[in-house]
Amino acid sequence: MTNTLLIGAQWGDEGKGKIVDFLSRDADVVVRYQGGSNAGHTIEIGADRYVLHLIPSGILYPDKTCVIGNGLVVDPLALVHEIQDLEKRGILSAGRLHVSDRAHMVLSYHKALDAGRESRATRGSKIGTTQRGIGPTYADKASRTGFRMGDLLDPALPDRLRERLAEKNVLLKDMGADLIDPDTLCREIRQAADFLRPYIGDTVSLLNTAYKAGKQILFEGAQGTMLDIDFGTYPYVTSSNPTSGGACVGTGLPPRAINRVLGVIKAYTTRVGEGPFPTELMDATGEHLRQRGREFGATTGRPRRCGWFDAVVARYSAMVNGIDFWAVTKLDVLDETETIRVCTAYECDGKRYDTVPACIATLSRCRPVYTDFPGWKCSTSGITSQADLPPNAKDYVKALCDITGVPLGVLSVSPKRAGTFRIAV
Ligand code: GDP
Ligand code: IMO
Ligand code: MG
């Protein structure tokens, strides 16, 4: 039994969904532990493409138990949609999906507050959120004014919702945003409750029972280390802990239930939303990566900012997560690139940085120090084993591992299930 924790090691969208799907074959249980429907995890199987926002990516195997852990913030309406969509596509059978009664609920006023704040923010204070209500819901959780999925089963919920909404509508009014109608909110929530009732339960016990029975558990991180509220580029982050530490508090499983940590990294870097990005390319090379890598948000459709691989970020991620292996994705996107650059350190005000500075103003002024690698200028997307990689591609992947001090576990050269190679996990 080896339980694997899979972490995004950059700014999200590293290809976590695809790697979780790949590893799910060997797992019994796949569990998400943080975030919400801000996530967009893409899996391509043959001609079919699935984008999952709340449901773990293991769901595409018919025999896996999937859990939405207590650390998530769940939009009940979005979850109903996602379940119905999978049912329509013949994927979801009863009894396989479990939603924690402790997970907090994203309500329509959280989404309105998120959107309202973003639309009023001036340039420097805009975060570029997905507007899925994530920040306001985690804020309510911390303020002890939230509602949890288990509350959907409480007959007194409508009264409690109306009372809370009265407070939130004052904030919305101040922002000049549309107010939320209490009757609409209560109707929507009642309908969602009727639908979701069979899915909601005590996932902490369920997971611990599975753990004690020796079932193989795969933890699916969402977002990425640089979006972590503690370790990311604060304040340009999400409101949860995508890093390793989040996996225990977001599931109720103890630290010793995690046997290894797999960090997912693209062979280059992307970021969606605002905030510093030292290796960002604002030129034709950046545009080439965006087009070739189809770098458009799986949740919002926004173009992703693209840049060179940042080994400072990767080393930092390896440190804070305790990464045992890399899963390197999207190597094929570099197939046509003449010279590939890797940032090995930053420079700011004459000082060299080998790790990510906490101060956002400093990070914003950091300039990358690059090492160049020759491209391979041929297609890798059809290859069927690591041994078939062109020599320069092999050297590039080896360099990423050497510079970061983390060995290669999985390599991916295509969005499809095929085109993923297991090296050491
Ligand atoms: P996630 O949020 O980390 O699950 O990643 P996303 O699904 O948001 O974005 C990753 C995108 O890259 C998706 O469109 C995947 O289908 C695609 N992808 C994943 N691995 C590879 C790969 O090795 N090569 C290529 N070309 N695309 C990939
Ligand atoms: P996956 O799981 C990439 C970014 C947003 C914004 C910041 C805060 O698909 O990798 P939020 O809505 O969370 O309050 O937005 O975080 N962000 C993501 N970027 N991938 C994601 O998820 C993201 N989830 C949030 O763009 O910059
Ligand atoms: Mg994504």
Side-chain angles (χ1 to χ4, degrees):
M1 188 265 307
T2 307
N3 297 333
T4 302
L5 166 55
L6 185 134
I7 296 281
Q10 294 160 322
W11 274 280
D13 301 328
E14 297 90 349
K16 297 176 294 293
K18 187 202 137 138
I19 303 297
V20 169
D21 172 70
F22 178 71
L23 297 177
S24 288
R25 222 173 9 193
D26 300 330
D28 299 302
V29 180
V30 185
V31 56
R32 277 268 313 265
Y33 58 88
Q34 46 68 235
S37 39
N38 49 351
H41 295 179
T42 315
I43 299 143
E44 292 191 21
I45 304 168
D48 293 322
R49 186 167 185 269
Y50 301 88
V51 182
L52 298 166
H53 301 285
L54 286 162
I55 298 176
S57 302
I59 202 76
L60 302 181
Y61 284 90
D63 55 339
K64 309 302 171 191
T65 298
C66 288
V67 177
I68 294 179
N70 58 278
L72 275 87
V73 289
V74 178
D75 177 346
L77 310 186
L79 181 57
V80 170
H81 256 101
E82 203 167 321
I83 293 174
Q84 287 175 335
D85 184 48
L86 288 182
E87 279 174 348
K88 260 191 238 133
R89 298 175 80 173
I91 299 294
L92 196 60
S93 51
R96 285 215 292 134
L97 178 66
H98 304 268
V99 182
S100 173
D101 48 10
R102 290 179 166 88
H104 274 251
M105 255 198 280
V106 180
L107 295 161
S108 51
Y109 55 76
H110 294 120
K111 288 182 275 189
L113 288 166
D114 191 359
R117 194 203 159 273
E118 283 285 282
S119 68
R120 280 181 10 145
T122 49
R123 231 190 107 51
S125 65
K126 204 179 171 76
I127 293 167
T129 74
T130 59
Q131 304 201 6
R132 296 302 189 269
I134 306 301
T137 308
Y138 276 116
D140 273 3
K141 175 180 175 176
S143 304
R144 296 154 294 173
T145 52
F147 293 99
R148 308 202 291 184
M149 291 301 280
D151 290 326
L152 283 177
L153 314 177
D154 175 9
L157 180 62
D159 293 339
R160 295 166 60 206
L161 278 176
R162 282 172 198 274
E163 196 183 322
R164 184 74 61 231
L165 179 61
E167 285 170 21
K168 301 295 183 185
N169 269 340
V170 173
L171 299 174
L172 288 169
K173 191 171 170 212
D174 274 0
M175 284 178 168
D178 291 342
L179 303 194
I180 307 278
D181 172 45
D183 292 334
T184 308
L185 173 68
C186 290
R187 193 184 58 249
E188 285 172 352
I189 290 304
R190 194 183 56 243
Q191 285 168 355
D194 290 344
F195 184 90
L196 293 174
R197 192 163 284 127
Y199 295 93
I200 299 168
D202 175 6
T203 58
V204 177
S205 297
L206 182 144
L207 288 166
N208 278 282
T209 303
Y211 168 51
K212 289 204 178 106
K215 302 278 186 209
Q216 192 141 315
I217 301 170
L218 178 57
F219 298 76
E220 174 174 356
Q223 288 78 52
T225 302
M226 301 310 289
L227 291 172
D228 186 282
I229 191 158
D230 285 277
F231 300 106
T233 48
Y234 191 91
Y236 303 100
V237 292
T238 192
S239 301
S240 67
N241 288 115
T243 45
S244 298
C248 292
V249 285
T251 58
L253 282 162
R256 66 172 65 88
I258 300 165
N259 305 110
R260 67 179 174 202
V261 184
L262 186 68
V264 188
I265 38 170
K266 276 178 191 173
Y268 51 98
T269 310
T270 63
R271 166 162 214 177
V272 207
E274 304 298 319
F277 177 1
T279 62
E280 182 168 15
L281 290 163
M282 308 294 283
D283 57 5
T285 308
E287 189 54 34
H288 171 78
L289 293 176
R290 183 155 38 249
Q291 295 304 331
R292 205 179 144 75
R294 293 190 287 162
E295 297 294 358
F296 297 88
T299 297
T300 58
R302 288 178 293 177
R304 295 176 182 150
R305 299 156 67 191
C306 297
W308 297 120
F309 186 86
D310 186 336
V312 181
V313 161
R315 272 197 307 260
Y316 173 74
S317 255
M319 177 175 74
V320 301
N321 292 300
I323 290 173
D324 297 303
F325 296 99
W326 291 128
V328 176
T329 62
K330 305 195 90 159
L331 186 67
D332 55 299
V333 175
L334 298 173
D335 282 353
E336 291 170 2
T337 307
E338 188 79 43
T339 301
I340 303 167
R341 314 196 86 178
V342 171
C343 166
T344 51
Y346 302 146
E347 262 173 18
C348 181
D349 304 331
K351 191 172 161 201
R352 185 187 159 100
Y353 288 85
D354 292 308
T355 190
V356 180
C359 171
I360 203 75
T362 305
L363 184 62
S364 304
R365 291 199 317 279
C366 277
R367 296 285 157 259
V369 177
Y370 284 122
T371 301
D372 289 352
F373 295 85
W376 40 96
K377 305 279 282 169
C378 62
S379 173
T380 55
S381 59
I383 66 164
T384 52
S385 83
Q386 191 202 8
D388 298 338
L389 281 180
N392 285 358
K394 261 189 215 155
D395 289 349
Y396 179 67
V397 174
K398 185 174 180 308
L400 299 190
C401 294
D402 290 348
I403 296 167
T404 54
V406 176
L408 185 64
V410 177
L411 183 64
S412 168
V413 292
S414 149
K416 308 283 177 197
R417 255 188 193 165
T420 312
F421 316 117
R422 190 184 291 268
I423 285 115
V425 296

